[in-house]
Amino acid sequence: MSFKTAVARIRIRALMAAVVIAGISSAIVFVLWVGARQVSQGSLSSGEFASFILYAGLVASSVSTMAEVWGDIMRAAGAAGRLLELLQAEAQIEDPAQPSHIPQAEQASIQFENVSFHYPANPGRTAIDQLSIEILPGETVALVGPSGAGKSTMFQLLLRFYDITSGSLKINGVDIRALSLAELRGMMAIVPQEPVIFSANALENIRYGRPDASDAEVIAAARAALVAPFIERLPEGYQTFLGERGTRLSGGERQRIAIARAMLKNAPILLLDEATSALDTEAETLVQRGLEAAMQGRTTLVIAHRLATVQNADRILVLDQGRIVEHGTPAELSRKGGLYSRLASQQFGLHGLGADHHHAPQSDIRR
Ligand SMILES: Nc1ncnc2c1ncn2[C@@H]1O[C@H](COP(=O)(O)OP(=O)(O)O)[C@@H](O)[C@H]1O
Ligand SMILES: [Mg+2]
């Protein structure tokens, strides 16, 4: 159907073009014919005729150029209008006039005190509901819960992409709204679920974690994240182009680059959103080792999708509908047999983690 209409459209366009071109050409031929007759009758000199043709040609070509330029100007005006709209958009979240600083910023504790939040786009639904939790310096806390529970929202609030609706959110006892955004976000390194790889070489891709880092620092971070052996095996080592959006890398390799970025940033807080996509066992072990290195000595919040991560955490928070429904050490929660053990059986493929914990396989279980 659409093919037929397309054919019909092209036919009409071709016909129109033929008519217009034929019209223009016959007009030119007619003018030349009139001129030539006048020259042969002697009412026009051949020099005058020649200069008429020359000038007519010049005028025609400049008119067509002007039409083209005008089209360009209109297009640029449209694009500029959209750009200006973006430039004039005001950020909802702003730096305070007199920002405070975080004391003892080498380490970080995080306090959620009675935090409630709903997204501006969705005011009817509470995304986080009166949530209170204190996360100690160096602790690893796994966030577990069904989809839509509010796990990612906790990250967004910590990064201050949104301001909380009520309660307070503090780092080392300082309300994050009192900090400059640069200082706040400088405290955190993020390993996202789907890391973005830029079309640049491996060295530059890792340097993105801290743009002023030297080559030696980048390589040291790659070593620390255990990604160096992989990069060194690439055809041109650190100079290897990683392809448009990292298409030359597997999911696990992309994540390991992101871990190296986080190591390079060397921030006291690590926010980790584990990939849900299944990696093969070897890739997963490599990612896991890199992560363990990155978590070392950092306050880590991890949205956990793998059993190994959950079981190695110091504490587990089980969220549902924006509330903490259970929390405790992995051993405590396994014994309880609540939402966590039900989730564990669904999400991690274990049947009643609480009931037969001893039969739990040693290796990582994926969905
Ligand atoms: N940008 C957004 N605008 C409006 N509502 C959102 C937005 N992001 C998430 N939500 C809602 O907030 C709730 C929590 O979502 P989220 O934190 O992404 O859950 P999780 O990461 O645990 O799966 C969900 O009900 C979700 O629909
Ligand atoms: Mg999420």
Side-chain angles (χ1 to χ4, degrees), residues 5 18 34 71 80 120 181 205 245 247-248 271 279 290 320 324 350 355 358 364:
T5 29
V34 170
L181 289 174
N205 260 296
R245 304 204 137 242
T247 38
R248 295 189 187 180
L271 301 180
L279 304 174
D320 193 16
I324 299 177
L350 285 189
H358 303 292
D364 306 348

Side-chain angles (χ1 to χ4, degrees), residues 119 121-122 125 127 146-153 162:
Y119 281 94
N122 194 356
R125 197 182 189 294
S147 168
K151 306 179 296 287
S152 305
T153 307
Y162 298 94

Side-chain angles (χ1 to χ4, degrees), residues 284-327:
E284 200 161 297
T285 314
L286 290 168
V287 169
Q288 196 68 36
R289 284 214 206 110
L291 285 177
E292 273 158 24
M295 288 175 182
Q296 209 51 251
R298 298 198 170 87
T299 310
T300 307
L301 262 177
V302 45
I303 298 179
H305 296 292
R306 291 189 199 111
L307 185 64
T309 317
V310 181
Q311 287 183 328
N312 291 338
D314 296 313
R315 230 174 347 148
I316 303 173
L317 282 192
V318 186
L319 289 178
D320 193 16
Q321 308 202 345
R323 271 183 299 243
I324 299 177
V325 289
E326 280 169 40
H327 96 264

Side-chain angles (χ1 to χ4, degrees), residues 206 218-234 237-238 256-257 260:
I206 296 175
V218 171
I219 292 169
R223 294 229 168 90
L226 306 174
V227 70
F230 154 69
I231 294 176
E232 281 155 14
R233 272 199 308 272
L234 293 172
Y238 285 89
R256 289 163 69 197
I257 299 275

Side-chain angles (χ1 to χ4, degrees), residues 19 68 74 79 98 108-109 142 150 175 179 227 244 251 265 273 283 365:
V19 169
E68 224 170 272
M74 295 308 286
Q98 258 140 17
S109 64
D175 195 301
L179 300 169
V227 70
E244 285 297 325
K265 185 162 180 185
D273 199 347
I365 304 279

